[in-house]
Amino acid sequence: MTKTDALPFDHTSSVVDRSPLDVAGLLSRPIWKELRTFLAVAKSRSFAEAAAMLHTSGPTVSREVKRLEEQLGTQLVVSSHSGITLTEAGRALALQLADLDFQLHTLSSNLRRDRADVAGTVAISVTSGLSVAFVAPAVQRLNARFPHIAVDLKDQMSFVDFGKNQAEIMLSMAPLQRADVTSQQIGTLHLIPVAHRRYIETHGVPMLGRLGQHRFLQCSYYTATGEIWDRWRDLVASGLPAHSAANSLAYYSFAKSGAGVALLGNYVLIDPDFVPVELNVHVPIPLHLVALTDRLRAKPVRAVFDWLVEIFADNPMFAADLLLKPAHSAPENDFRAFFNLNRS
């Protein structure tokens, strides 16, 4: 090494490359407790509900949030008779705290990872429809093998952004290209027009030449940008005014009650009262199971991941080719039992 190439410091020396643990005075302001209280307020949008969550009193919660605002020098919440509203600064802080909260959960889970027992709680994010139809009914089969595992089913905040869901495993509508995650395709969700027999008995079978006589149910998911939804949107626009729902379970309930024709997964045909309607619409969506690669080394997370693979990969309704006649796989039988569809 020449004189001009010489490094200004010896990078192996602890003097110039110290750990934060070596610096006693390197601390944030003493606001850890207040931050946790504020996160509870942000999630519950009420001092009283946050107090119940934290096992303290409403006035205590209010004081701690006020103290946090004073230390940060900015207003975080606006309180009114209707509840709590986050300011722009409050929402930004709450989102960062939610990420930190999940990181702490992951860290504590990692520290327990080497336990001999396959035990622990695993957070998974699944759409409400698939969660109710297949994941929740199959939990007893998971616990028959792993009695010390619990699953924490999270509302799916995003179909494509793993981080937003704050879960260790996510059922995604797209593969994730990230170095720190493992993504595995486990099947295909086939969306097709269906109608309940109640609707057909009252309005007849919908046909392409008589679309204006029928009501097509709309789900907010299907209003997303993309050519795959164009044909369905055209049908909705051609019919009577459409009932709509942002929640997949509410959307399913519309169809189940006979309120109109819906675009639902072909798996609803396990219910014999649902009938497929031929309107030249078929939307196949690949399903991917995504997990943090590091967390898959933990026995409980790997067990839950493999269990979820079985639920969908072993279900003929999620095969690559569209199936309109249900079979009798274990996941389908779970569906029948859960919705009380077992008939002689």
Side-chain angles (χ1 to χ4, degrees), residues 103-122:
Q103 290 175 34
L104 291 173
H105 163 76
T106 301
L107 175 61
S108 63
S109 297
N110 282 339
L111 293 173
R112 295 193 301 268
R113 179 168 75 190
D114 294 330
R115 289 178 52 180
D117 293 339
V118 183
T121 299
V122 179

Side-chain angles (χ1 to χ4, degrees), residues 168-341:
E168 290 149 301
I169 302 174
M170 164 189 172
L171 188 67
S172 174
M173 304 296 178
L176 252 64
Q177 305 299 328
R178 271 178 44 177
D180 61 335
V181 303
T182 295
S183 181
Q184 177 180 338
Q185 184 170 348
I186 57 172
T188 302
L189 174 63
H190 297 278
L191 298 175
I192 59 172
V194 298
H196 197 273
R197 294 191 187 277
R198 289 193 190 98
Y199 180 86
I200 292 176
E201 289 169 0
T202 303
H203 303 282
V205 177
M207 301 176 66
L208 290 175
R210 299 185 299 165
L211 296 179
Q213 302 175 22
H214 292 278
R215 194 179 301 276
F216 297 90
L217 305 173
Q218 184 60 298
C219 181
S220 60
Y221 301 150
Y222 308 154
T223 61
T225 304
E227 293 182 4
I228 63 171
W229 307 114
D230 287 348
R231 179 59 184 156
W232 177 252
R233 283 196 289 256
D234 289 343
L235 290 180
V236 173
S238 300
L240 297 169
H243 302 303
S244 62
N247 179 280
S248 56
L249 281 179
Y251 185 67
Y252 169 81
S253 297
F254 274 151
K256 179 80 170 175
S257 68
V261 183
L263 186 68
L264 287 169
N266 63 323
Y267 62 83
V268 302
L269 299 179
I270 298 172
D271 182 341
D273 285 330
F274 274 108
V275 177
V277 180
E278 180 51 61
L279 295 172
N280 295 333
V281 177
H282 173 212
V283 181
I285 301 176
L287 292 178
H288 295 263
L289 201 59
V290 180
L292 292 169
T293 301
D294 180 62
R295 292 294 296 126
L296 279 176
R297 299 189 186 100
K299 293 179 182 179
V301 178
R302 169 53 72 178
V304 171
F305 187 91
D306 292 342
W307 166 68
L308 288 169
V309 170
E310 290 176 11
I311 290 174
F312 294 95
D314 290 351
N315 190 332
M317 304 304 286
F318 294 95
D321 297 327
L322 173 63
L323 182 70
L324 298 180
K325 186 176 180 180
H328 287 279
S329 65
E332 289 172 281
N333 289 334
D334 285 341
F335 183 99
R336 291 185 178 93
F338 189 79
F339 288 96
N340 197 27
L341 299 174

Side-chain angles (χ1 to χ4, degrees), residues 41-86:
V41 171
K43 287 190 171 186
S44 61
R45 300 299 175 93
S46 161
F47 288 146
E49 290 184 22
M53 187 186 307
L54 299 171
H55 305 291
T56 187
S57 66
T60 298
V61 168
S62 179
R63 282 195 303 271
E64 291 185 359
V65 171
K66 185 67 175 175
R67 187 160 54 245
L68 179 63
E69 291 178 324
E70 291 172 352
Q71 294 201 53
L72 298 180
T74 187
Q75 185 174 10
L76 301 174
V77 301
V78 177
S79 180
S80 67
H81 293 298
S82 58
I84 295 296
T85 303
L86 299 180

Side-chain angles (χ1 to χ4, degrees), residues 28-29 31-39 43 91-109 163-164 166:
S28 64
R29 296 176 183 178
I31 55 174
W32 286 96
K33 183 180 180 183
E34 289 83 352
L35 288 172
R36 182 169 183 265
T37 298
F38 170 69
L39 179 59
K43 287 190 171 186
R91 177 171 173 75
L93 177 60
L95 288 172
Q96 293 182 54
L97 289 175
D99 287 340
L100 175 61
D101 188 52
F102 180 65
Q103 290 175 34
L104 291 173
H105 163 76
T106 301
L107 175 61
S108 63
S109 297
K164 287 184 179 179
Q166 296 190 341

